[in-house]
Amino acid sequence: MVDQNVTELAENVSPALVDLLYSIDDPGVTPLDRKVTIENVLRLLSVLYDTTPQLGGDLEYNNKNLVFNTTLTSDETASGDIITVTFGESVSFGKLCYPDPSENGWMLALGTNALVKHPALGVALETKGNGETGKLLLRGLIRSSTYFSAFALGDLLWLSDGIAGSWVNDAPRSVGDIVQNVGWVLAANYAYFNPDYTYVELATSRSSSSSSSSSSSSSSSRSSSSSSRSSSSSSSSSSSRSSSSSSSSSSGSA
């Protein structure tokens, strides 16, 4: 290779990650000529290669947006606001959880008033046992063919009243059930978890038979009331005519 100044070299306009750069290792103490790949240089500069990046100060949006990844590369994954918590019982990926103060940990949520296991405020992202720590999704995108394959785009999702930790696309209907919206279906196998912090406890059933019965009862009540008014009116009219007839007869006799 002919000796040349750097400025005399041909420019590489499409460098690859495996291309080499010249570097001087430890220049202030024992300088050594070394080579380094472009990929390794980028690792020093990009958070893409840093599994635990940390900010040195406040992050300014600068009139820009924080864009979430809406296409997760594999099943049983999530992206969003995630924290590390302690679980109060065995959990697995995708299970809806609530914070239990008596157990001082997160446990499987259930939409019924029989046991206070609501509201659901997080989703377990790992399989963990009682007393173990793991990741919990507070809000964001979650991909799971186990939970969302049977749902359709736009379906609202609710805390199940039958299976602890499960999602349903039909709100609970029975008396004593807890109705809490926990998100919606974004795409096939995808859901956006955004739990409502408020919920409703059903005092009456939401079934159609109950509604029909109520309507029938109301109709019967109106019919009875109408019949009563008719009877009263008829009685009053009859009494009035009788009184008038009696008065006329008395006047003629005199």
Side-chain angles (χ1 to χ4, degrees):
M1 187 166 57
V2 180
D3 289 340
Q4 288 179 294
N5 292 326
V6 172
T7 55
E8 298 175 331
L9 298 175
E11 181 181 359
N12 183 356
V13 295
S14 57
L17 293 177
V18 295
D19 288 349
L20 300 176
L21 300 175
Y22 172 75
S23 71
I24 301 176
D25 184 36
D26 202 10
V29 183
T30 309
L32 296 172
D33 293 335
R34 290 289 184 266
K35 63 183 178 182
V36 61
T37 64
I38 291 179
E39 181 177 14
N40 283 332
V41 172
L42 292 177
R43 287 180 184 275
L44 298 175
L45 304 176
S46 175
V47 295
L48 292 176
Y49 295 99
D50 190 347
T51 58
T52 57
Q54 295 182 345
L55 296 175
D58 294 337
L59 177 64
E60 296 285 345
Y61 283 118
N62 194 28
N63 293 323
K64 301 298 181 180
N65 302 309
L66 179 62
V67 180
F68 288 99
N69 185 5
T70 56
T71 305
L72 302 178
T73 56
S74 59
D75 198 25
E76 308 290 290
T77 53
S79 175
D81 298 336
I82 298 173
I83 61 174
T84 298
V85 301
T86 299
F87 293 102
E89 66 178 319
S90 295
V91 299
S92 57
F93 183 92
K95 290 292 187 181
L96 293 166
C97 299
Y98 77 101
D100 191 309
S102 63
E103 295 292 335
N104 196 29
W106 289 74
M107 304 181 70
L108 300 177
L110 185 64
T112 175
N113 68 356
L115 296 172
V116 183
K117 292 182 173 291
H118 52 268
L121 299 177
V123 181
L125 298 181
E126 298 176 284
T127 297
K128 295 293 180 180
N130 186 5
E132 293 185 328
T133 59
K135 293 181 179 179
L136 184 87
L137 179 69
L138 295 178
R139 184 183 62 177
L141 188 69
I142 179 170
R143 175 180 174 181
S144 173
S145 58
T146 301
Y147 292 102
F148 312 128
S149 61
F151 301 151
L153 173 66
D155 277 358
L156 292 179
L157 299 177
W158 313 84
L159 172 62
S160 172
D161 63 331
I163 302 176
S166 293
W167 315 58
V168 293
N169 65 342
D170 186 23
R173 297 173 175 273
S174 303
V175 175
D177 280 349
I178 301 300
V179 181
Q180 181 199 5
N181 176 249
V182 293
W184 56 283
V185 177
L186 181 64
N189 298 329
Y190 284 84
Y192 185 71
F193 178 66
N194 187 28
D196 193 339
Y197 298 156
T198 60
Y199 55 87
V200 175
E201 179 179 333
L202 296 181
T204 58
S205 173
R206 295 198 308 113
S207 65
S208 57
S209 59
S210 173
S211 176
S212 175
S213 174
S214 175
S215 175
S216 175
S217 174
S218 176
S219 177
S220 175
S221 175
R222 290 194 298 271
S223 177
S224 174
S225 175
S226 176
S227 176
S228 175
R229 289 195 299 271
S230 177
S231 175
S232 174
S233 175
S234 177
S235 174
S236 175
S237 177
S238 177
S239 174
S240 176
R241 286 197 299 272
S242 175
S243 174
S244 175
S245 176
S246 174
S247 173
S248 177
S249 176
S250 174
S251 175
S253 176

